[in-house]
Amino acid sequence: MSPLISMEKHSMDELLQILKKNALETPENIARMLNVSVEDVRARIADYEKRGIIRGYQAIVNEDVLDMDLVTAVIEVKVSPEREGGFNRIAERISKFPEVSSIYLVSGAFDLLLFVTGRDLKDVAFFVSEKLATISGVGGTATHFMLKTYKHHGVLMESQDEHERLKITP
Amino acid sequence: MSTNVSKSHRDVIARHLIEVPRSGIRDFFEIVSTMKDVISLGIGEPDFDTPWHIRESSIFALERGVTSYTSNLGLLSLRAAIAEYVARTFNLSYRAEDEILITVGVSEALDLAIRALVNPGDAVMYHEPCYVSYGPLIQFANGVPVAVPTSREDGFRLTRAALEAHVTPACKALILNYPNNPTGAALLPGDARDIADFVQEHDLILITDEIYAELTYEGQHVSPATYPGMKERTIFLHGFSKAWAMTGFRLGYACAPAALTDAMMKIHQYTMLCAPILSQHAAQEALANPEEDIADMRAEYQRRRNYLQHSFQEMGLACALPRGAFYAFPCIQNTGLKAKDFAMQLLTEENVAVVPGTAFGPSGEGHVRCSYATSMDEIKEAMVRMAAFVARIRV
């Protein structure tokens, strides 16, 4: 077994790799790492933003420790695709609900996978029964409430005790 | 030892061992280990964890009860995987059956290579600054260490002229270590050809320690063993510690003509018996998809190297471009401090640990070794502190 993907093998720009790991990295530091000029880094970031390749910058927050009164559900949705539109029109319509934080078209037993956030179980249940399920074309839903986040966007949510290396070795 | 030994303990220790100096790095380590909140650029091992699939396969092997000895040479399946990897990566072909020996790290392989060759009084050449064990291992074998100094002006390259200036009729072997710890220098093709010619003209055996080969940032790594006429007189050493971040697994290997492999095996079987089987399993997993394991780590090391190089430039410290490994070796002569004093003061005043160049031989004077096998965040902070320190002592 080996990792299915290696960042290097992707043609993803090294600048994007750095920003994906730490969006707060300054252009000055990135310039040093990549051995290019600061102006070049600034121009490339601006270009990525303008072309919509970089769509935003967010902090990765461990919400479990914040004691927020919010619940997140993962919802599987079966959809009847439409002639000419396929899944897009319905998916785009569902995307517009502010409760929906992520939505993906997937293969398998269902079609759309949604991440939905609400104040409590009732709130999410209401969204599903009143808003989501009533959209024409939506065939059926299955709702899973998230209980704990272990890893999010490649970041472990709990720091493990680091094994300490010797401070000086040959 | 009982207390009624008639001589003092120092008198009973073998003479050739007493002559071997303590490692300079050891002294420094003892000071650093008493201090808190030190940012260390003194670490010669990757800060990455071993790739998870390698660790996971070790857990699986342990669950299956893989806890026995292996053949003295090591698992044949691992030797076959190594033969394949070395052929593909280094363009060197060795037979798994009798030309590859699995060892406990390259450290053991080096010891075996030297002991297999050296008669008392035989001389062994190596370039300096260098890894701390070359000289002592030669002394343990009752050989004569012949250090050939290299300098920053030459980019720490080993030149034919320097070799010719130090060779003696007693010389039997030459140890090479490129990419180099501590300088980060790599072997350029022209130099490799010159060295190959030199080795053949003086009828030497080449021991080439290429543990950092995969961590090459400028151009392609070339093994000196690939030059015509070299393979027959070369002991090629490699292992898993650096590129795969597997230092604690202690797994290396030696590839050499069958007669030399057999000689090394003779020592290995009576001292180590075999390398740990669990590590051998892990190594086999590491060879399943090596390019993917290594690529991300190499890219990160390269970014850190670039960062350091720029920082030294801004501080006004000259530094030969590190072409490989994970060390930079900046020159600190223009601060007016000796390497040891520089490292000591930087440690006590700024809590940043670097290793004085003299730990790697007298020709390391005027330099310090900065390892970039440390997180980018730590490197950034260390460079801020080092810049402040350098600016202060220059005034």
Side-chain angles (χ1 to χ4, degrees):
Chain A
M1 268 182 306
S2 73
L4 294 173
I5 39 167
S6 149
M7 292 304 257
E8 186 86 340
K9 261 210 168 156
H10 276 240
S11 53
M12 195 198 284
D13 190 287
E14 210 174 354
L15 171 64
L16 286 177
Q17 287 181 39
I18 292 170
L19 288 175
K20 278 198 71 170
K21 219 154 82 181
N22 179 9
L24 291 179
E25 197 65 90
T26 63
E28 288 75 16
N29 282 339
I30 295 172
R32 289 177 179 206
M33 291 177 206
L34 300 183
N35 216 4
V36 296
S37 73
V38 185
E39 295 70 39
D40 186 26
V41 172
R42 287 219 177 85
R44 275 158 68 193
I45 293 175
D47 181 55
Y48 280 132
E49 289 171 347
K50 198 169 134 207
R51 284 156 63 200
I53 291 169
I54 293 179
R55 306 204 66 92
Y57 303 88
Q58 294 182 329
I60 296 166
V61 176
N62 185 359
E63 295 181 356
D64 291 357
V65 300
L66 278 181
D67 203 22
M68 296 195 304
D69 285 328
L70 286 178
V71 294
T72 298
V74 187
I75 304 174
E76 306 168 2
V77 182
K78 274 191 188 162
V79 174
S80 326
E82 297 171 329
R83 178 151 185 165
E84 292 186 355
F87 294 100
N88 289 348
R89 202 188 59 81
I90 291 181
E92 280 160 18
R93 191 168 162 200
I94 295 173
S95 307
K96 297 222 166 69
F97 287 102
E99 293 91 335
V100 177
S101 60
S102 304
I103 173 166
Y104 308 94
L105 177 65
V106 296
S107 65
F110 57 95
D111 306 301
L112 296 177
L113 183 70
L114 276 57
F115 286 72
V116 170
T117 306
R119 278 190 306 278
D120 51 30
L121 262 64
K122 249 161 75 183
D123 200 30
V124 174
F126 178 80
F127 169 78
V128 173
S129 61
E130 297 299 314
K131 296 182 178 168
L132 186 60
T134 57
I135 295 171
S136 101
V138 169
T141 65
T143 303
H144 312 271
F145 284 98
M146 292 208 327
L147 303 179
K148 184 174 176 179
T149 307
Y150 292 94
K151 191 178 185 182
H152 185 67
H153 284 224
V155 178
L156 292 175
M157 286 296 118
E158 278 179 34
S159 333
Q160 293 164 329
D161 285 345
E162 287 254 326
H163 166 75
E164 211 182 323
R165 294 182 297 159
L166 297 175
K167 288 205 181 101
I168 300 274
T169 62
Chain B
M1 200 173 293
S2 66
T3 48
N4 56 5
V5 178
S6 57
K7 305 170 192 166
S8 89
H9 285 163
R10 200 183 147 80
D11 292 333
V12 297
I13 294 169
R15 265 189 307 280
H16 72 291
L17 184 56
I18 291 201
E19 283 162 17
V20 176
R22 248 168 83 90
S23 163
I25 221 161
R26 191 84 231 142
D27 296 333
F28 204 65
F29 168 74
E30 264 151 37
I31 300 162
V32 175
S33 56
T34 61
M35 297 184 58
K36 272 210 147 73
D37 301 321
V38 171
I39 296 183
S40 182
L41 304 183
I43 306 177
E45 67 174 328
D47 59 311
F48 297 102
D49 293 330
T50 306
W52 173 246
H53 70 100
I54 298 172
R55 287 185 277 155
E56 197 270 345
S57 82
S58 309
I59 296 169
F60 181 63
L62 198 52
E63 279 176 346
R64 269 190 308 158
V66 175
T67 57
S68 61
Y69 292 132
T70 71
S71 99
N72 295 130
L73 287 171
L75 295 168
L76 182 59
S77 54
L78 173 59
R79 283 182 275 142
I82 288 170
E84 200 265 326
Y85 178 73
V86 170
R88 179 158 44 91
T89 314
F90 295 90
N91 201 19
L92 288 168
S93 114
Y94 291 101
R95 279 192 308 269
E97 292 72 22
D98 58 358
E99 294 185 321
I100 298 175
L101 170 65
I102 315 286
T103 59
V104 180
V106 175
S107 296
E108 191 216 352
L110 259 167
D111 181 36
L112 298 179
I114 291 167
R115 280 203 273 168
L117 299 175
V118 172
N119 293 306
D122 285 346
V124 178
M125 307 177 80
Y126 56 94
H127 51 105
E128 197 202 78
C130 67
Y131 184 63
V132 296
S133 76
Y134 299 153
L137 287 178
I138 296 162
Q139 285 175 282
F140 291 159
N142 292 301
V144 180
V146 178
V148 182
T150 62
S151 70
R152 185 176 48 82
E153 289 71 29
D154 290 332
F156 298 104
R157 289 161 45 234
L158 179 57
T159 60
R160 170 103 199 218
L163 284 166
E164 294 290 1
H166 287 82
V167 70
T168 68
C171 286
K172 184 150 187 196
L174 167 67
I175 304 175
L176 277 191
N177 169 226
Y178 288 107
N180 180 254
N181 175 7
T183 64
L187 193 58
L188 304 178
D191 294 335
R193 200 171 307 112
D194 282 355
I195 292 168
D197 289 344
F198 169 84
V199 165
Q200 293 183 50
E201 278 168 35
H202 291 273
D203 198 18
L204 304 178
I205 298 290
L206 177 68
I207 301 172
T208 176
D209 170 359
E210 301 185 29
I211 184 69
Y212 292 102
E214 289 85 352
L215 304 180
T216 296
Y217 314 111
E218 308 289 325
Q220 207 68 39
H221 173 81
V222 177
S223 172
T226 53
Y227 286 87
M230 286 306 291
K231 202 192 132 201
E232 304 75 50
R233 53 171 72 244
T234 295
I235 300 177
F236 169 88
L237 307 180
H238 198 33
F240 296 86
S241 291
K242 311 296 181 175
W244 284 269
M246 291 175 65
T247 46
F249 283 87
R250 308 303 309 122
L251 209 79
Y253 51 89
C255 303
L260 292 180
T261 303
D262 192 56
M264 291 189 282
M265 206 273 274
K266 210 184 253 180
I267 307 171
H268 175 76
Q269 71 176 349
Y270 292 128
T271 51
M272 289 295 169
L273 207 161
C274 67
I277 189 168
L278 203 56
S279 298
Q280 294 193 46
H281 267 258
Q284 197 151 354
E285 176 67 23
L287 288 177
N289 219 333
E291 286 76 12
E292 296 207 345
D293 286 336
I294 295 166
D296 288 351
M297 292 193 268
R298 178 173 46 220
E300 175 66 17
Y301 287 134
Q302 185 165 356
R303 292 194 283 269
R304 296 173 185 175
R305 177 202 72 156
N306 293 346
Y307 194 95
L308 279 182
Q309 195 73 2
H310 279 269
S311 304
F312 294 143
Q313 208 171 358
E314 284 165 16
M315 288 178 219
L317 301 181
C319 184
L321 180 70
R323 294 170 169 270
F326 37 61
Y327 310 101
F329 206 58
C331 175
I332 48 91
Q333 258 160 352
N334 64 12
T335 63
L337 293 178
K338 294 267 183 205
K340 201 169 174 191
D341 299 330
F342 182 96
M344 210 57 201
Q345 289 183 30
L346 180 64
L347 178 64
T348 50
E349 293 176 27
E350 297 285 348
N351 269 20
V352 173
V354 298
V355 181
T358 43
F360 308 98
S363 55
E365 183 56 274
H367 298 78
V368 292
R369 188 191 74 174
C370 301
S371 161
Y372 45 95
T374 281
S375 76
M376 187 68 90
D377 285 343
E378 293 213 305
I379 286 173
K380 286 182 204 159
E381 178 58 25
M383 288 302 101
V384 169
R385 296 185 193 181
M386 192 161 157
F389 173 74
V390 168
R392 201 164 59 235
I393 53 171
R394 274 231 192 89
V395 175

